[in-house]
Amino acid sequence: MAKKVTKIGVLTSGGDAPGMNAAVRAVVRTGIYYGLEVYGIMRGYTGMVENDIIPMHSRSVANIIQRGGTILKTARCKEFLQKEGRQKAYNNLKDLGIDGLVIIGGDGSFRGADVFSREFDIPCIGIPGTIDKDIAGTDFTIGFDTAVNTAVESIDKIRDTADAHDRLFIIEVMGRDAGYIALHSGIATGAEHILIPERKTDMEELISSLQEKERRKKLVNMVVVAEGDEFGGGDQVAALVKERLPNVDTRLCILGHIQRGGSPTCLDRLIASRMGYSAVECLLEGRHNVMVGILNNRMQYTLLEKAVKSKQKISDEWMKIVKILAS
Ligand code: F6P
């Protein structure tokens, strides 16, 4: 029989993602609704190690559902990778009587939660918060929709200049190990080519396709590259294209961190609210070490270790769509 939780902590960890605040709000308000004491742990696991932990009330999360970033701040904590760091963190939680945790973050944050939970027998529930969408067991991760919409808005603007000057643009979007932002934003903006880490990029094929487009007098061309593409991201691709196609007016644009900020979209606020609520229910039901996700519009619980080990697959059909629609 699982111990009943009475005091829970919530933290945001890893790269910030728009919608994290909406998730924090949902955790705090659901926890309070069910009579729990809720604490906010500042700067991810760093706040746990350094005892930077504050009580949260319903009003603490007022007026944040629409804000990007995270009011709890975030960090990637090196000390938590060591047993001594985790022991310190546990002692701090114990002193406050915190007996359950909600971790909003990506795969690195879940790995930490899984180890911590096993070492100290404290239930940890993960909420997928990352713009990269590189986690299995969920159709959505908090922040992805906002990031993709930011990328689409930016690429649309770049297209205006590409069209005005008859240029080829290489556009790098975020995604360290995952190509979802590139794939979704590239399809939605009509990119001619999309390069992602999940597929081997044939650079010769890319060059000859661009040559062919030049021959056909196709004047506006956009290549969207995920930063983690194995060829090496936007700058390497642009350098190669400039070298091999010196007559083509080519420019590089790296969108960078603008994709991480901004007010979350409606979808991100909704999934954050559902996941935050569901995470508290998981703790109350006595679940341990699961990530709450949404699959086919239903809540889905995946063991943390499984969520980080497998990735969502990109189907070949998506790649076929890119090819056909850009022809
Ligand atoms: O994981 C989210 C992400 O935005 C990646 O797409 C990117 O590679 C990384 O974080 C950048 O991290 P940082 O802000 O620490 O440079």
Side-chain angles (χ1 to χ4, degrees):
M1 176 90 173
K3 280 181 279 174
K4 199 175 159 350
V5 292
T6 54
K7 295 185 185 184
I8 64 170
V10 55
L11 62 91
T12 50
S13 166
D16 62 313
M20 279 184 162
N21 278 327
V24 171
R25 172 180 177 270
V27 170
V28 170
R29 294 212 168 149
T30 308
I32 290 168
Y33 174 83
Y34 284 117
L36 303 176
E37 277 182 47
V38 186
Y39 289 82
I41 300 168
M42 302 302 293
R43 294 173 290 127
Y45 294 117
T46 311
M48 238 156 91
V49 175
E50 296 178 1
N51 204 17
D52 192 1
I53 301 173
I54 53 170
M56 302 290 281
H57 311 285
S58 192
R59 290 301 99 209
S60 324
V61 290
N63 197 26
I64 64 166
I65 194 167
Q66 78 286 14
R67 284 167 55 189
T70 158
I71 60 161
L72 296 180
K73 311 262 184 187
T74 184
R76 295 186 171 105
C77 177
K78 291 219 169 70
E79 244 190 301
F80 199 73
L81 297 173
Q82 311 301 324
K83 173 90 198 235
E84 303 84 73
R86 294 194 293 274
Q87 182 68 56
K88 264 201 220 167
Y90 177 70
N91 294 345
N92 291 330
L93 295 184
K94 207 165 165 230
D95 287 348
L96 285 165
I98 294 175
D99 46 16
L101 286 176
V102 176
I103 292 96
I104 306 166
D107 53 355
S109 314
F110 292 171
R111 256 181 228 115
D114 198 39
V115 173
F116 185 67
S117 165
R118 287 168 201 280
E119 272 172 357
F120 299 103
D121 191 28
I122 181 164
C124 291
I125 307 298
I127 295 181
T130 164
I131 65 164
D132 289 350
K133 203 166 94 85
D134 56 348
I135 291 177
T138 185
D139 290 332
F140 308 101
T141 62
I142 296 169
F144 173 74
D145 188 59
T146 309
V148 137
N149 276 289
T150 301
V152 165
E153 209 178 292
S154 310
I155 298 171
D156 283 347
K157 288 178 179 159
I158 293 169
R159 182 178 275 281
D160 290 344
T161 297
D163 181 49
H165 287 268
D166 298 337
R167 277 181 182 162
L168 162 63
F169 263 91
I170 312 292
I171 301 150
E172 183 189 288
V173 297
M174 271 188 164
R176 198 174 17 210
D177 316 298
Y180 292 98
I181 299 179
L183 190 62
H184 287 226
S185 66
I187 291 177
T189 55
E192 274 63 35
H193 294 276
I194 301 173
L195 312 187
I196 55 173
E198 293 85 346
R199 291 289 184 283
K200 203 165 167 42
T201 303
D202 184 338
M203 296 314 283
E204 284 313 314
E205 199 181 303
L206 175 75
I207 298 291
S208 57
S209 161
L210 292 172
Q211 273 166 336
E212 168 64 11
K213 289 189 170 88
E214 196 194 2
R215 204 183 50 73
R216 283 197 283 126
K217 299 265 174 288
K218 185 173 187 312
L219 300 173
V220 178
N221 286 297
M222 322 265 280
V223 178
V224 175
V225 186
E227 64 170 323
D229 183 66
E230 47 144 35
F231 188 73
D235 45 3
Q236 265 96 331
V237 175
L240 180 83
V241 169
K242 283 180 185 174
E243 185 198 316
R244 298 286 302 278
L245 306 172
N247 297 329
V248 177
D249 193 7
T250 304
R251 292 288 188 281
L252 165 69
C253 182
I254 297 177
L255 298 188
H257 284 81
I258 59 161
Q259 295 159 95
R260 283 244 295 265
S263 184
T265 58
C266 175
L267 178 65
D268 275 329
R269 297 179 202 195
L270 272 177
I271 61 165
S273 301
R274 288 177 71 188
M275 289 175 179
Y277 161 85
S278 187
V280 175
E281 290 218 313
C282 278
L283 285 173
L284 290 168
E285 286 162 7
R287 289 185 200 260
H288 266 247
N289 302 6
V290 292
M291 178 197 81
V292 295
I294 300 175
L295 274 179
N296 299 324
N297 205 24
R298 283 168 176 258
M299 299 317 295
Q300 177 84 22
Y301 311 107
T302 306
L303 284 174
L304 286 175
E305 59 173 339
K306 203 168 162 209
V308 297
K309 270 193 196 135
S310 37
K311 299 235 163 180
Q312 295 181 25
K313 300 269 179 305
I314 288 181
S315 89
D316 288 336
E317 196 170 22
W318 282 70
M319 303 312 290
K320 194 173 167 192
I321 291 173
V322 176
K323 212 166 185 168
I324 292 175
L325 299 191
S327 57

